[in-house]
Structures are given as C-alpha cells and as structure tokens.
C-alpha cells in the first residue's frame, strides 16, 4: 500500500520495519507513532501543523520494541562506507534523506523542506536501489550522492531482533504517551491543547492557508483523526476500559477538520462556532482517552 | 560588553555521583524542575542490562554492566525528547551547544573519558578502556577567556576548562569502544512531567523488554550468558599480554569505573527500593535484596579479575573450581531475578 498521504519518512521507516518482520500501515504508524496530538509553529513558513510527536518514527519503533539508531559518520564518504558495511552485515535497509527531484517525488514532498526520506537496500559502486513511498527505484550512484540532502554524514537504521512488544503493551504505552503530550504540550514550543487554542485564535490573521492545508492533508486529511478512530477500532480489545463510542467521536472530529480544510481551501474564514466546536470535541476526546488509559484492567 | 562577550554561567546545582550518565541526567533534570535520585535515573533509564562485545578495531572485549542509551530512555520516560547532534567542525558544533545553552539550559555532551582533564587521571583510566560515551554537562561559557564551565560526575564542583581541552576530549576515535565526534544533545521538555509512578512503570517495562529481548547477542541476557559462560575461559583464548589488560579493564568497568560497584546491581537494588515505595509494590522491595546479593557476587567476580590482572594464573583464571560455580550461580540468579521482575511488571498492564 502506498502511503502517499503520509510523510515520506514514515514510508521509509515502514519499509525498514517490514524487512525486520513488522508490517505497519497508516493506522499503526499514526497510532503507535504518537500522531494524535497537535503541534503548531506560529510564524513558520510554510505553516507547520504537526503531530503529537516530535519524532513519530522513533516513537513507532521504540513502542514496538525496536530502535532508530541515528548515525553520525565523520564525513559523507565515511557515511557511504559505513552504510555499505551495514547493508552487507545486517541485510536491513538504511534510511537517508534526498533532495526531491522536482519530478515524480513532487507529490510526496515534505511539508517544510524540499527533501524526502528513502529506504536504501542496495548501495553498489555504480547504482543505488531504494524504496520511496512504496515503489522501488534506482539511481546512478553519482546522481544519488548529489541528491544527498541536508547533512550527508547522517543516516539511520532501524534495529530489532525481530521480536516485538506485546500488542497490548504497545497500545497502552502509545495512548498514554499521546494523552500526556496532548495535555501537557512542550516547553518552548506549542503542542497539545494549548497549541490548538492558539492556532484557532490566530487563524483569522491571514495565515498561508494553502500551506496549512498541505500540512493537514499530509495525514490523509482530517488531521489524522479518522486514522486514530480506525486505530481505536482495531485495538479495542487491548484497551483497559471500554468506550464504545469513542472511535465514532474521533470520526466526527475528522469530519469537522475536513470542513475546516474545505473552508480554508476556498480561502474563506472558518466560522468561530465551528472552531469552538472542534476545540470542545478535541478536549472531550482527550478526556475520554485519559479515562481509558488510567483505568485499571477490567477486562480479560 | 556586547551580548557576544557576556559570560554565561547557569545557576546549576552539580552533585557528584556514581556514574556519568545518571549523575548528568539527575542534575540536568533537577535544573528543569524534576527531582530524581541517581538510582531512579538508572532504573527508569533502563539501567539493568549488560554489554559484552569486541571493541572497535581492537581485539579486546567491552564488558559493561548495563546496556546503552540510558539518557534517551530516561528522557522518553519523563516525557522529554533528547536528540543527538554533531558537526565535524568542533567550532560549529560548539555554536550548537551555545545556542542550546542559551535557549534551553545545560547541555549534555559525549566525551572520551580518558581524555577528560582530571577524570582520566583520577581514575587511572586504562587506555584500552578509552571510550566516547562519557557524559558531561556544560553549564557556562566565557567567550573572553574561551573557557567552558563543565560538570563531570566525579568532580566536586563545576570547573572552567579551556575550550581546547574540551575539544580534545570531544573526539574519540582511537579507543576501542564507542566513538564520539563532537556529539551533544538537544533537549525538548514537556510542559509538565507525567506522574512519577507512570514514569517508573514505563522505565521498568521498557528495560525488561530490552534486557530479555536484546537487539542482538551483544546486549542484555544474551550478553550476560556469553560473558558468565566464557570469562573463565579467556585464559585459553586471549594472548597472555592481553589477558591481564583485559582482566583489569573488566574489573574497572564492573566495579570502580562508574558502575556504583557490582556491575550497577547495587544501584539497581536501591532503585527497586525506591520504586517499591512509590508504587506500593512490596515485591520490588524484596527484589531489592535479591539485586543487592547479585551485586555482591559481581563484586566478587570483579575482585577475582583484579587479582588476575596482577597475575594471570590467579584470580578468575586460576584452576579453582569455585570460579565456575560463582559465575554459573550468578547467571542463574540474574535469570531468576528477571523472571520475578517480569511477573511484577506484567500486573501493571
């Protein structure tokens, strides 16, 4: 399944996890990756609306019992040699960033930078084979090297012994983390409910609505609330307490966010009552989630 | 005086400790409003572990009483995000450190322990034990004298050291162990911390998974088994000139080089005692005694290694059959303790 609506790095990590024996889709990426939440960078251009996590793929990997090992090679040449060593020894892909080529990658361009993340599984002297958003590609080595963007010394690998955490543990740990982040937010940057309220307060002041939209639709639209509803449905049996209508609540939230997206796409101003409605619904969803994660085990 | 010339020295309370990572994180988190003992930092950060592998490019073994990434595990458990940063140019990397110092607060760095002024000398740190994972905290900067205010776990107070000396310790590629190349950490904190009970449970459960399901045979229970099964046999596999050096570096790592004695088990025992009180879990209190006994046995192994480092036909490499009994019983004790800890943690889900 091509997850074109998710950030490129998510697909790169998905590929790496799949090689290690864990197949995750968009619903799992979002739920286990701490996607439920809110992050707002006021004044950033383009506007960045984010997930509940500062590093969703690190969250996903660690919650599942794996690890994302961020490598800092001495220079780009050492990075290439070390990546080759890793590929030969571990037979698992390496994750690198590439500048987008303005062509077929354009549709998957990351929101805030002209770069994408890919999962390299073969690094020969003349050619590089990698996976980008579900499709396998090849590049001439020199062309690939030229496209290494950002800090070319940097690369990452997902580490695992191919045994993963118990699903119940994984679900509860990620929900607890999401509830905490949505409640507390981050110091020095806007996250969680405080960020949501500020974003709505500033929305009428002429933000770049197209960028806002792009950020929101990167999660498949609805700021990922529909994905989260599916996550709750999928793992209902692993939750410590029941709230049968909670998934439906997040589906309604998904619709509310899509309404906002539609209004913004028409370059109109969302109705203040609609924003209040979303804010109340987000707060209610958060409170109901908190009751679930704080409940002691009542079901076996 | 312009802003760029202003001396920066944070109001940072430095306390000495037993281990560089737990001491640095304890003091750092206290600065940011979270009071945790060093033992809590160890337990929450996944400090129950083991590492046993060949060093980088050196035919010697790295033996360590815990696994890696304690600082990142601890940060996650308290709801924070700690990210490793670097730059090949120390001046550029240093600017990153200064930016972090000014925007967030004290900055955690990775250094080579054998190159740290005062620390390397005071520990008589063996050359073969040189590694780049030694944690220090930068708490100030004097641009006029080009000196950094640094806190190291063994020092009684912060020290101002010339930036050149810090740059020297900031690179470690010659030692057999972890590499560092101008590594420092960016910290993002939550606006409020989770409940301490939740933090402890998260830390213990993550630790247990990593210990019992390690990434590979070089960590966790697999490494423990390999070491305890194989250490007495080093006398057959290592050349004589390396055998004594290996014995000494292993003794340092297990007992005096920042483990709190007994391969971190003594510290972990105290963590369990605290965790027992916070969580109201008597079994953790009982396990505290178990780990204290394991710590005594590890100290016994370390002492035998120290004897072997002086005479390779004595200590752990002698023909005394008690040596194999000691290592065998230690492995059995570690496994049993882990099983009991798992039983407790499983009740939390």
């Amino acid at each position: 399944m091509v997850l074109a609506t998710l950030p490129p790095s998510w697909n790169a990590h998905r590929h790496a996890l799949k090689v290690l024996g864990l197949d995750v889709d968009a619903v799992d990426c979002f739920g286990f990756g701490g996607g439920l939440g809110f992050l707002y960078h006021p004044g950033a251009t383009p506007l960045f609306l984010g997930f509940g996590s500062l590093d969703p793929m690190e969250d996903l990997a660690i919650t599942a019992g794996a690890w994302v090992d961020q490598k800092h090679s001495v220079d780009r040449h050492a990075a290439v040699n070390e990546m080759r060593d890793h590929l030969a020894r571990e037979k698992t892909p390496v994750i690198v960033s590439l500048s987008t080529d303005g062509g077929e990658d354009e549709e998957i361009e990351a929101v805030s930078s002209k770069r994408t993340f890919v999962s390299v599984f073969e690094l020969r002297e003349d050619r590089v084979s990698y996976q980008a958003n579900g499709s396998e590609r090849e590049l001439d080595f020199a062309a690939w090297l030229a496209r290494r963007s950002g800090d070319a010394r940097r690369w990452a690998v997902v580490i695992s012994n191919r045994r993963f955490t118990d699903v119940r543990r994984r679900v509860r740990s990620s929900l607890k983390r999401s509830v905490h982040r949505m409640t507390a937010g981050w110091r020095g940057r806007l996250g969680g409910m405080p960020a949501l309220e500020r974003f709505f307060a500033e929305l009428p002041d002429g933000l770049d609505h197209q960028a806002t939209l792009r950020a929101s639709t990167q999660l498949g639209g609805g700021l990922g609330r529909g994905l989260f509803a599916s996550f709750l449905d999928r793992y209902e049996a692993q939750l410590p307490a029941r709230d049968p209508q909670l998934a439906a609540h997040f589906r309604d939230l998904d619709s509310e966010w899509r309404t906002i997206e539609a209004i913004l796409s028409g370059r109109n101003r969302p109705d203040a009552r609609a924003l209040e409605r979303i804010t109340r619904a987000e707060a209610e969803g958060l409170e109901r989630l908190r009751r679930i994660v704080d409940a002691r085990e009542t079901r076996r | 005086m312009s802003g760029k010339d202003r001396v920066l020295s944070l109001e940072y309370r430095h306390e000495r400790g037993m281990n560089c990572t737990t001491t640095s994180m304890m003091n750092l988190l206290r600065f940011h409003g979270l009071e945790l003992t060093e033992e809590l930092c160890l337990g929450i950060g996944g400090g129950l572990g083991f590492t046993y592998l060949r060093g980088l490019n050196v035919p010697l073994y790295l033996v360590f009483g815990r696994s890696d990434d304690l600082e990142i595990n601890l940060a996650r458990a308290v709801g924070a995000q700690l990210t490793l940063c670097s730059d090949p140019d120390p001046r550029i990397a240093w600017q990153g450190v200064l930016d972090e110092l000014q925007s967030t607060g004290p900055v955690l760095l990775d250094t080579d322990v054998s190159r740290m002024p005062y620390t390397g000398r005071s520990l008589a740190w063996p050359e073969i034990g040189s590694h780049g994972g030694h944690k220090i905290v930068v708490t100030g900067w004097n641009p006029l004298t080009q000196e950094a205010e640094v806190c190291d776990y063994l020092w009684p107070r912060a020290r101002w050291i010339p930036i050149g000396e810090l740059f020297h310790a900031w690179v470690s590629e010659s030692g057999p162990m972890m590499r560092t190349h101008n590594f420092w950490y960016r910290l993002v904190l939550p606006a409020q911390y989770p409940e301490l009970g939740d933090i402890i449970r998260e830390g213990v459960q993550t630790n247990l998974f990593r210990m019992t399901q390690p990434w590979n045979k070089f960590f966790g229970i697999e490494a423990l088994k390999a070491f305890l099964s194989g250490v007495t046999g080093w006398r057959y596999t290592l050349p004589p000139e390396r055998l004594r050096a290996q014995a000494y570096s292993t003794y340092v790592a297990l007992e005096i080089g920042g483990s709190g004695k007994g391969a971190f088990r003594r510290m972990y025992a105290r963590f369990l005692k605290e965790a027992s009180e916070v969580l109201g879990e008597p079994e953790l209190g009982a396990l505290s005694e178990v780990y204290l006994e394991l710590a005594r046995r590890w100290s016994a192994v370390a002492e035998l290694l120290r004897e072997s480092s002086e005479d390779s036909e004595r200590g752990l490499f002698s023909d005394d059959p008690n040596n194999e009994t000691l290592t065998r019983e230690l492995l059995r004790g570690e496994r049993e303790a882990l099983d009991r800890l798992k039983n407790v943690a499983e009740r939390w889900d």
Side-chain angles (χ1 to χ4, degrees), chain A residues 157-175:
Chain A
V157 294
V158 180
I159 301 177
S160 167
N161 65 358
R162 300 168 194 265
R163 282 171 289 184
F164 301 98
T165 50
D166 172 75
V167 174
R168 194 167 80 227
R169 167 99 274 281
R170 205 183 304 165
V171 169
R172 293 172 193 206
S173 170
S174 51
L175 285 182

Side-chain angles (χ1 to χ4, degrees), chain B residues 56-235:
Chain B
L56 295 169
N57 306 316
V58 175
L60 284 169
Y61 293 105
L62 165 65
V63 180
F64 200 46
R66 64 170 176 86
S67 301
D68 212 351
D69 298 311
L70 188 150
E71 64 281 357
I72 294 181
N73 296 334
L74 175 56
R76 270 184 70 79
V78 305
Q81 180 97 6
L82 196 65
T83 306
L84 183 65
C85 306
S86 74
D87 194 285
D89 185 330
R91 293 277 167 189
I92 296 175
W94 185 245
Q95 189 55 54
V97 171
L98 294 182
D99 290 343
E100 179 76 2
L101 193 63
Q102 279 153 356
S103 63
T104 303
V107 187
L108 191 68
L109 266 63
D110 277 343
T111 63
D112 186 322
V113 62
S114 69
R115 295 178 171 197
M116 274 299 292
Y118 313 102
T119 307
R121 286 197 297 275
S122 66
L123 284 178
W125 199 270
E127 172 85 26
I128 59 166
S130 171
H131 75 88
H134 181 68
K135 301 286 188 287
I136 61 169
V137 179
V138 171
T139 57
W141 170 240
N142 186 333
L144 300 170
T145 62
Q146 293 283 294
E147 287 178 318
E149 187 179 38
V150 171
C151 297
D152 194 323
Y153 84 108
L154 270 182
W155 301 349
R157 67 191 69 80
R159 279 190 163 110
W160 289 93
I161 65 173
I163 194 66
E165 286 189 24
L166 185 58
F167 284 177
H168 176 68
W170 215 7
V171 175
S172 176
E173 295 187 86
S174 58
M177 314 307 182
M178 288 168 276
R179 187 174 64 78
T180 183
H181 206 96
N182 311 329
F183 287 175
W184 58 277
Y185 293 82
R186 182 176 289 122
L187 178 64
V188 182
L189 293 148
Q192 71 190 55
Y193 296 105
E195 294 293 324
L196 181 58
D198 287 341
I199 291 173
I200 290 173
R201 276 186 285 263
E202 170 79 15
V204 169
Q205 286 175 320
T206 301
N207 194 169
L208 273 170
F209 182 81
R210 300 260 178 86
M211 182 62 169
T212 57
Q213 307 285 347
W215 315 131
N216 52 44
K217 63 184 180 183
F218 306 124
F219 301 102
I221 193 69
E222 300 296 327
L224 200 63
K225 182 179 157 189
F227 174 73
L228 289 172
S229 305
V231 62
T232 52
W234 282 356
R235 57 191 156 152

Side-chain angles (χ1 to χ4, degrees), chain A residues 214-284:
Chain A
R214 195 162 65 233
S216 175
T217 56
Q218 269 242 320
L219 296 167
L223 213 65
R225 271 48 180 162
L227 284 174
F228 190 70
S230 298
F231 181 80
L232 289 175
D233 278 339
R234 179 177 294 178
Y235 296 108
E236 197 261 347
Q238 277 78 33
L239 300 176
R242 292 202 67 195
D243 186 337
Q245 299 306 314
L246 189 56
H249 178 85
F250 277 97
R251 286 207 167 83
D252 289 341
L253 254 177
D254 182 275
S255 300
E256 296 276 2
W257 277 105
R258 286 175 194 276
T259 303
I260 298 294
E261 287 156 18
I263 292 169
L264 291 175
S265 71
R267 299 191 180 275
N268 295 314
R269 177 191 293 191
D271 181 73
R273 283 173 300 180
L275 300 183
E276 280 168 22
R277 203 164 50 238
I278 287 189
T279 305
R280 277 199 308 274
E282 287 278 351
E284 182 190 334

Side-chain angles (χ1 to χ4, degrees), chain B residues 50 52 61 63 224-238 243-244 246-252 254 296-331:
Chain B
F50 207 80
Y52 180 46
Y61 293 105
V63 180
L224 200 63
K225 182 179 157 189
F227 174 73
L228 289 172
S229 305
V231 62
T232 52
W234 282 356
R235 57 191 156 152
Y236 305 122
T237 56
L238 289 178
L243 185 59
R244 287 171 54 190
Q246 178 72 71
Y248 183 70
S249 74
T250 307
Y251 154 70
V252 168
L254 291 177
R296 291 189 194 109
R297 294 190 202 177
W298 277 109
S299 290
V301 169
E303 176 57 23
L304 287 167
L305 282 165
R306 192 195 60 74
E307 289 177 26
S308 299
S309 72
E310 292 171 354
D311 180 345
S312 59
E313 292 187 7
R314 287 180 53 223
L316 204 64
F317 305 144
S318 71
D319 290 324
D320 189 343
N322 289 327
N323 292 340
E324 296 218 354
T325 304
L326 173 61
T327 54
R328 191 173 55 244
E329 286 301 305
L330 186 44
L331 179 60

Side-chain angles (χ1 to χ4, degrees), chain B residues 253-266:
Chain B
L254 291 177
E255 191 69 2
I256 64 168
S259 71
K261 295 185 181 294
F264 289 97
R265 269 63 180 159
R266 195 171 288 271

